[in-house]
Amino acid sequence: ATAYLFSLQISHYIRDHPGVVARAETLLALCEKHRFPQWVGSGLVLSGVSHVAQGSTDLGLKLIDDGLKAQRAKGHAGISLMLLALAADSHLKLGNAGRAVELLTEATELADKSHVGWYRPEVVRLQAEVMLQTNQIAVDDAIARIEHAAWLAHEKGSIALEWRATTALARMLEQRRQVDEARKRLLAVCGPLADGLDSMELDEARTLLASLS
């Protein structure tokens, strides 16, 4: 089951949504057969996120909600933080800002209580974006928060989350017509140290950098 979970997470990371759905079904079947309740939440939430990404909104949101319930009951706190952030991101993309705020607040409280911080940079980034969308903070405050998310990711060695936060930061700087500063931030993560590396987050950072050159 653990191997299937890792395979499922890799499929999610490379955005292979059909692959996520298929692997989630296999993982959930194994969990039911061998009584591994601790992985049920991951299977349901990741499947739900992929269903939402493919346009099956109602089914996807139901799977996400069911998965979070299962995760709260039996899941590990470290995985819970990631799943809450993924769920919030799906809601945010659908325009459900209120629900996204609730999930991110729960994630922050969980991180504070459990001292699990590996996915916290993503929680901080998403909080900044949803608060900006709902006019709770100004752009300058959002930029400062996302800059902090990038710093947190760097400190924790979470390279993919650092790339993601830096790209979000650069987009905001571009909107403020601070193109030189946006380019500088992207060059810091897309420079020689990133040669030979490849990921969806790094590709997005490089694409944005090219558009600013």
Side-chain angles (χ1 to χ4, degrees):
T2 303
Y4 276 104
L5 175 63
F6 288 145
S7 175
L8 175 60
Q9 291 175 330
I10 290 170
S11 295
H12 167 76
Y13 181 69
I14 64 174
R15 301 178 194 176
D16 174 15
H17 298 303
V20 168
V21 172
R23 287 175 174 82
E25 290 177 357
T26 302
L27 174 63
L28 292 170
L30 283 172
C31 288
E32 182 176 0
K33 180 178 180 180
H34 299 288
R35 297 181 182 178
F36 295 137
Q38 66 270 33
W39 305 131
V40 170
S42 295
L44 290 172
V45 172
L46 289 170
S47 180
V49 168
S50 283
H51 275 292
V52 169
Q54 294 180 103
S56 299
T57 304
D58 291 342
L59 174 59
L61 293 181
K62 183 180 185 308
L63 289 170
I64 288 171
D65 285 344
D66 289 347
L68 291 177
K69 289 176 184 176
Q71 187 67 21
R72 292 182 187 107
K74 297 289 184 178
H76 186 272
I79 300 296
S80 297
L81 189 64
M82 179 188 73
L83 297 181
L84 285 165
L86 293 177
D89 190 35
S90 289
H91 278 283
L92 186 57
K93 288 174 180 174
L94 292 171
N96 302 330
R99 181 58 177 152
V101 169
E102 291 174 359
L103 293 169
L104 292 169
T105 299
E106 181 181 348
T108 300
E109 292 172 352
L110 176 64
D112 290 341
K113 181 179 179 180
S114 64
H115 304 292
V116 173
W118 73 279
Y119 216 74
R120 187 156 193 162
E122 182 69 351
V123 173
V124 173
R125 180 187 73 82
L126 289 170
Q127 280 181 322
E129 294 194 357
V130 71
M131 291 176 75
L132 181 62
Q133 273 192 26
T134 53
N135 298 315
Q136 296 180 58
I137 59 175
V139 177
D140 286 345
D141 194 358
I143 287 174
R145 289 168 183 259
I146 294 178
E147 188 171 21
H148 180 59
W151 176 83
L152 276 177
H154 180 78
E155 288 295 300
K156 296 178 182 301
S158 301
I159 298 175
L161 297 184
E162 182 182 1
W163 290 333
R164 195 177 300 173
T166 301
T167 301
L169 175 62
R171 287 196 180 103
M172 286 194 180
L173 290 169
E174 180 191 14
Q175 292 171 5
R176 294 299 299 271
R177 298 184 180 180
Q178 296 176 251
V179 176
D180 289 343
E181 183 63 20
R183 189 183 299 112
K184 176 183 174 182
R185 298 304 180 108
L186 290 169
L187 281 170
V189 297
C190 296
L193 291 177
D195 287 349
L197 300 179
D198 189 27
S199 78
M200 300 293 289
E201 288 82 1
L202 187 56
D203 286 346
E204 289 180 1
R206 286 168 171 159
T207 299
L208 180 57
L209 179 60
S211 73
L212 297 177
S213 299

